[in-house]
Every structure is written in C-alpha cells, then in structure tokens.
Amino acid sequence: MYIGFDIGGTKTEIIVLDAHGEQHFKKRIPTEHDYQGFLNNIESLVLEAERSVGGACSVGIGLPGVLDPRTGLIKNANCTFLNGHQLKKDLDARLNRSVAIANDANCFALSEAVDGAAAGKSVVFGVILGTGCGGGLVVNQQVIGGLNANAGEWGHNPLPGFNSEIDGNPVQCFCGGKNCLEKFVSGTGFTRQYNQHSSAQLTGPEIFAKLESGDALAKQCYELFIDQLARALASLINSIDPDAIVVGGGLSNVSRIYDDVKQLIPNYTISDDVVINLYPAKYGDSSGIRGAAWLAR
Ligand SMILES: [Zn+2]
C-alpha cells in the first residue's frame, strides 16, 4: 500500500491508498513547525497508518517547496522550517526506507495523470489556479522535476503579450519577477484585477455572482482574465503541447472557463488548428495527497 502526505503550513495530512486507488486510512494533525518535532510526527503517523492497514507501506510526501536535486536540501518551501534541511535523508534514516518527496503541484499533476482526469494520457501538465498559479509536469506517470527542480513553475513566467493598456499597470511579484502569470491568472490575480476598478473589495465567488447577474465590470474583468489565461496556456502548448492539461484550485470549479478559454487559445498558438484537452481535476483538493502516495509507485 501507498502512504501519501500533504504538508501545509497549518495541517499535515496522511492517507493510505491501495493499488486500485481506494483510500484505507486518513488522519490530519496540526503541522509542527519545529523540525525535529515535525520528523517525530511523520514517523508516528507512518507507524499508526501501517498498524491500521496491517502492513508496510511506501511513503510519498508532497510539500509546498522542492528538494534541490544538487544539494538534497529543501528550498522555496513556504513551510520555512523545512528549508535548508536534508528532509529525505533524515526521513529515510528514521523510516528505514526510501521516501519520495515532490512539490505539491507536481503531486497534483501525478494524481490526475495516474487515475484522475488525464488517466491514460502520456504527457500531462497540471495547473493550479488558486492563491497562486502552480504547475506540474508528468510524463508516462513520472514527475519531471527538471535539472533545477524548476519544471512546472510556469506561474512565474511573465504574462505573454503583456500590454499595460489592456492588462493594467505592471505588477511586481514576490519572486523578484515583473508581471508574473500568477499576478493575473490565479484566483488572487482575478480578484486583484476586479478590485482595482471597484470601491468594494469583493471575493472571487462574489465577483462570479455579479458576472452571472450581468454586471458590466465583472464581465469585462472575466473576459480579460480568459484572454490572459488563453495567452498563458497557449505558451504552454507552444512549449510542450501536452496530451492533457488538468486544472485544479478554486478557479477550476468555475465550469464556464473551459469552453471560454479553449475558444481563445488558438489565437495565440503557432497553429490555429489545435486540439486542446483541458479538464477540471477529478479529485479536486484531494489530488495533491493522492499524487504524493503515487510518487512511490
Ligand atoms: Zn513571480
């Protein structure tokens, strides 16, 4: 059986899947921010899960950061207590097995490629349109992390075709870049663009409710957002042309975006006759942890 962990800033979650993807155990605890305490918790959760399912399991961990392939150290994790630690080495020693570790967006893409919306597709790109704009690349059900563990970080490419007359004032990103995709096509990017024209500061669901009721500003912002997303996805298709693109995160639940964005993508791809397999995630918020379990398949 396969243990998967999802490590977040507030919660640490564990599940156990069997080879058919059925879930046999699940537990969620607050994330311990002391590194040694964190290792203790992982170890005791693994032991508890294995007692519960009655056998040894593989262990995969998805976290909001990456394992630097050159140094073995965790970097870029917003669970900052993990940064600079040999997490894999430490867990391998404690758990007496080889633990698999990957970025949570890569785990999302793996989950959807193994038995989710893109099951059966060879080259799958997972896109998470939530607080930020994450991404993960999976080929033949293997995560492609890349030489620098940068693969999938499309959210920090500049928005293609940025034009301040259309896209508004230039925006600085925390990563040091300017006009990064995630400042426009994430959930927060969408609300940011609406709220800069509105005196009321609305949430995403409130803006979509206005859109449904025919509000002109909501319509204008939504159409711009779809055009920006089309530009972003077209650059992805021009780069790797995946067999499927699977969308997760809060915006993936907005059913109209799929047909709307597919109509505009051909305006920005090299050929305007393109097949676009763009799907909502099958497992929603559970995809990340399921993909972590599948890391050790
Ligand atoms: Zn950035």
Side-chain angles (χ1 to χ4, degrees):
M1 297 229 208
Y2 306 93
I3 287 177
F5 276 97
D6 182 32
I7 312 299
T10 52
K11 294 277 192 290
T12 292
E13 190 172 344
I14 180 174
I15 60 167
V16 180
L17 298 182
D18 67 20
H20 306 289
E22 291 296 320
Q23 188 178 296
H24 292 262
F25 179 84
K26 179 177 177 171
K27 189 170 182 179
R28 190 185 263 198
I29 64 167
T31 296
E32 168 61 59
H33 284 231
D34 167 71
Y35 183 67
Q36 290 305 323
F38 175 79
L39 296 179
N40 292 341
N41 281 353
I42 296 291
E43 184 176 4
S44 57
L45 284 169
V46 167
L47 295 176
E48 185 182 344
E50 289 185 330
R51 271 196 307 275
S52 167
V53 301
C57 302
S58 63
V59 176
I61 297 182
L63 45 83
V66 292
L67 190 153
D68 186 322
R70 279 174 294 200
T71 63
L73 302 173
I74 300 296
K75 64 176 183 180
N76 305 340
N78 62 15
C79 296
T80 50
F81 64 93
L82 294 174
N83 286 327
H85 284 286
Q86 294 276 355
L87 181 62
K88 175 171 163 52
K89 205 171 149 197
D90 294 340
L91 284 175
D92 284 359
R94 274 185 181 240
L95 298 171
N96 223 344
R97 74 200 82 182
S98 179
V99 172
I101 296 176
N103 174 264
D104 46 14
N106 289 339
C107 293
F108 164 80
L110 181 61
S111 162
E112 294 298 328
V114 169
D115 61 354
K121 305 286 188 194
S122 294
V123 180
V124 177
F125 197 90
V127 161
I128 302 178
L129 304 179
T131 310
C133 178
L137 177 63
V138 169
V139 177
N140 297 332
Q141 304 192 350
Q142 297 291 319
V143 167
I144 306 295
L147 182 62
N148 304 288
N150 275 8
E153 292 289 356
W154 79 311
H156 297 280
N157 286 333
L159 180 70
F162 174 84
N163 176 343
S164 57
E165 285 178 19
I166 298 167
D167 300 303
N169 291 332
V171 202
Q172 196 67 38
C173 182
F174 74 88
C175 76
K178 202 188 244 186
N179 302 326
C180 288
L181 281 184
E182 76 167 34
K183 290 292 179 187
F184 302 89
V185 302
S186 61
T188 40
F190 175 67
T191 54
R192 179 189 68 80
Q193 294 188 89
Y194 179 92
N195 286 330
Q196 69 187 5
H197 300 293
S198 161
S199 51
Q201 298 298 291
L202 303 185
T203 64
E206 287 168 343
I207 299 168
F208 279 104
K210 279 194 168 284
L211 179 66
E212 296 309 322
S213 68
D215 177 78
L217 177 60
K219 182 170 183 288
Q220 184 194 329
C221 288
Y222 174 75
E223 285 173 357
L224 175 60
F225 165 78
I226 289 296
D227 184 69
Q228 291 165 336
L229 184 58
R231 282 181 256 160
L233 292 175
S235 75
L236 192 63
I237 291 168
N238 281 345
S239 304
I240 53 174
D241 204 359
D243 298 317
I245 299 170
V246 185
V247 186
L251 282 169
S252 68
N253 300 318
V254 180
S255 55
R256 62 190 288 176
I257 66 171
Y258 299 90
D259 285 341
D260 290 346
V261 80
K262 276 162 71 172
Q263 287 194 4
L264 293 190
I265 287 173
N267 294 347
Y268 302 109
T269 45
I270 173 98
S271 158
D272 57 11
D273 179 23
V274 283
V275 176
I276 304 156
N277 293 323
L278 183 70
Y279 309 127
K282 178 177 175 182
Y283 289 110
D285 292 342
S286 302
S287 236
I289 194 166
R290 291 181 63 90
W294 291 145
L295 283 173
R297 276 168 86 244

